[in-house]
Each structure stands twice: as structure tokens, then as C-alpha cells.
Amino acid sequence: CARVRGRVLHVGRSYTNELHLGLVAHWRVLVVKLPSDAHRPSVGSTITVVGPLVRVRLGFSEVEAFRVE
């Protein structure tokens, strides 16, 4: 599992109604998939998430968050 703290760059929902964030952390851009019942953070806010780190399309890393701190 990974624990990532970063600044929110983008907030959006996918066609499957999953909440996705663009996050900059440790000089990298990450995609974060939040649980459907999670609070929707605002752009510019700082957030910490915990979950498995996986590789997705276009070379991005994604955290499938199961906990938001």
C-alpha cells in the first residue's frame, strides 16, 4: 500500500460514477480513485490518501484509495 499526500489539481467523475482526482505529490502527477461515498475535495486543497499503487494508461500511477485522511 501507498500513503500519498499532495495537492488536488483536478476533480471529476468517470462514466461509472467513480470519483477521480488529479494530484501532485513528490514532484509527480498521480491519479487517485476515491470510494463513491468519499467527500469531494476542492481544487487546490491538500489531501492524504492510503491504498494500493498501480500503473495505469499513459504512464501515470494511480492510488485506489480505501482511506482518506
Side-chain angles (χ1 to χ4, degrees):
C1 284
R3 181 176 182 266
V4 179
R5 179 180 172 91
R7 187 159 311 269
V8 178
L9 299 176
H10 175 76
V11 180
R13 289 211 180 264
S14 69
Y15 64 92
T16 59
N17 207 26
E18 296 172 331
L19 185 59
H20 286 91
L21 307 176
L23 192 74
V24 63
H26 304 287
W27 303 100
R28 294 175 52 190
V29 175
L30 301 166
V31 177
V32 177
K33 182 167 62 171
L34 294 177
S36 58
D37 61 345
H39 171 70
R40 182 182 177 120
S42 60
V43 172
S45 63
T46 301
I47 188 172
T48 303
V49 294
V50 178
L53 181 66
V54 296
R55 290 295 254 188
V56 293
R57 304 184 282 179
L58 304 174
F60 285 105
S61 296
E62 179 178 81
V63 177
E64 297 177 357
F66 57 77
R67 188 170 78 200
V68 179
E69 299 175 346

